[in-house]
Amino acid sequence: RSSLFPEDCTLCHTLAAWTPASFDHVGTAFPLTGAHRTITCDLCHTGSVYAGLPHACNDCHGADYQSNESPAHQAAGFSRSCETCHSTDAWIPSRYDHTQTGFTLSGVHRTASCLSCHKNNVYAGLATTCISCHLTDWNGTNNPNHVTAGYPQDCSTCHTTTNWLGATIDHSKTPFPLTGAHVNVACTSCHINNNFTTTPTACNSCHSAEYKGATNPNHAAAGFPTTCQTCHTTTAWTGATFNHTWFPMTHHNSQGLCSACHTNPNDYKVFVCTSCHTQSQVDSHHRGVKNYVYNSVNCYACHPRGSAG
């Protein structure tokens, strides 16, 4: 009677046996689940108190909260809502839903021990930037040397939580997006001496040797521009094409050969029209034309677009 138990005996007892008795906790404000179903009543209902008993986790597990040192719950300011990490199925091991924080765990972070990041039991206000944990890795990396190269300290730019090694950089987010053959070359082919911050992006800064060594035609002697992209592409270095802007290539006899008109491979300012356009052919079309002279310079003076008229 002091516990205010109901006087309906059938709620706990049966006609088959007065003892042991059982109570259906489902009808209360605290339905039993997991390990709570197997413990004796007096572990929670101490002093035979059954009515008005508090049912927050910490009401029974306050001592566990205060004494726990791995991690130290009280020092770390952990929530006293035990169900945040623990379950009634098993008090140990516990787990914390990191998705409820500002730093959702992914990849290898999901299997790392809490103390790997939460050193000295610091759980509140911990920095979430990559470098706050990986500064030692950043300082110690030599392939390439992150410090001397001036790499950003945002590790996620190149690394992932799935695979720390085998990092890749998204070059499309730099001033020099990679295309064609550039996609597959080694980083050190362009980034000499671990220079990743001030590497020039002009073609000739990497291809100067090709420019100087080209003989068909001789780029340097002919005064070709050093802007390689004028004729070359990143898809294929050989088989370069030149956009003949000033004089459209409509002459079929040239067969696409520069040497058909530019007979001096050392000077492409020199051109010849008369090797294809014979004087007898040209004279017949220029009878009565004032100041007509049969030579290449005069041909170009009157026909700068390569057309008649």
Side-chain angles (χ1 to χ4, degrees):
R1 181 177 294 277
S2 62
S3 301
L4 299 179
F5 268 27
E7 294 184 355
D8 183 359
C9 305
T10 60
L11 292 176
C12 303
H13 302 273
T14 67
L15 295 176
W18 184 254
T19 57
S22 62
F23 178 73
D24 186 1
H25 236 274
V26 174
T28 70
F30 192 80
L32 299 183
T33 59
H36 287 166
R37 297 175 62 87
T38 61
I39 60 176
T40 60
C41 302
D42 57 358
L43 284 179
C44 295
H45 298 281
T46 56
S48 294
V49 177
Y50 290 87
L53 199 67
H55 51 263
C57 299
N58 191 64
D59 295 326
C60 276
H61 293 287
D64 300 302
Y65 175 92
Q66 293 175 357
S67 63
N68 200 310
E69 294 294 331
S70 180
H73 287 32
Q74 190 162 343
F78 272 27
S79 168
R80 289 181 177 269
S81 300
C82 308
E83 67 272 17
T84 303
C85 304
H86 301 271
S87 72
T88 58
D89 293 326
W91 184 254
I92 300 174
S94 61
R95 65 179 183 179
Y96 180 70
D97 185 4
H98 233 277
T99 60
Q100 303 301 315
T101 71
F103 190 83
T104 301
L105 299 183
S106 61
V108 179
H109 287 168
R110 295 178 62 87
T111 58
S113 66
C114 302
L115 295 179
S116 296
C117 299
H118 298 281
K119 302 182 187 305
N120 301 319
N121 281 314
V122 177
Y123 288 83
L126 199 66
T128 59
T129 56
C130 301
I131 203 65
S132 62
C133 273
H134 293 287
L135 179 61
T136 301
D137 302 302
W138 190 85
N139 285 327
T141 301
N142 291 309
N143 184 30
N145 190 308
H146 287 30
V147 177
T148 57
Y151 266 31
Q153 292 189 336
D154 180 4
C155 307
S156 60
T157 303
C158 305
H159 299 269
T160 67
T161 58
T162 305
N163 184 13
W164 181 256
L165 301 178
T168 58
I169 184 171
D170 185 358
H171 234 278
S172 64
K173 296 180 180 178
T174 72
F176 192 82
L178 299 183
T179 59
H182 287 166
V183 174
N184 298 317
V185 299
C187 303
T188 52
S189 296
C190 299
H191 298 283
I192 311 298
N193 298 324
N194 280 318
N195 179 10
F196 288 86
T197 54
T198 59
T199 303
T201 58
C203 300
N204 193 58
S205 62
C206 275
H207 294 287
S208 177
E210 285 85 1
Y211 175 89
K212 294 176 181 177
T215 58
N216 183 30
N218 190 314
H219 288 31
F224 272 28
T226 57
T227 50
C228 308
Q229 68 271 23
T230 302
C231 304
H232 300 270
T233 69
T234 58
T235 304
W237 183 255
T238 56
T241 58
F242 179 70
N243 183 6
H244 232 279
T245 306
W246 296 293
F247 193 83
M249 293 298 295
T250 57
H251 288 46
H252 301 294
N253 291 337
S254 68
Q255 297 179 348
L257 298 175
C258 302
S259 58
C261 299
H262 299 281
T263 55
N264 184 349
N266 294 324
D267 188 356
Y268 271 71
K269 294 184 178 67
V270 176
F271 59 91
V272 176
C273 300
T274 54
S275 59
C276 293
H277 301 282
T278 64
Q279 185 168 5
S280 59
Q281 177 192 39
V282 174
D283 285 349
S284 64
H285 287 87
H286 289 77
R287 291 190 180 93
V289 177
K290 186 178 181 181
N291 298 324
Y292 161 67
V293 180
Y294 176 69
N295 64 47
S296 298
V297 175
N298 281 17
C299 289
Y300 182 71
C302 291
H303 304 285
R305 304 299 297 172
S307 58

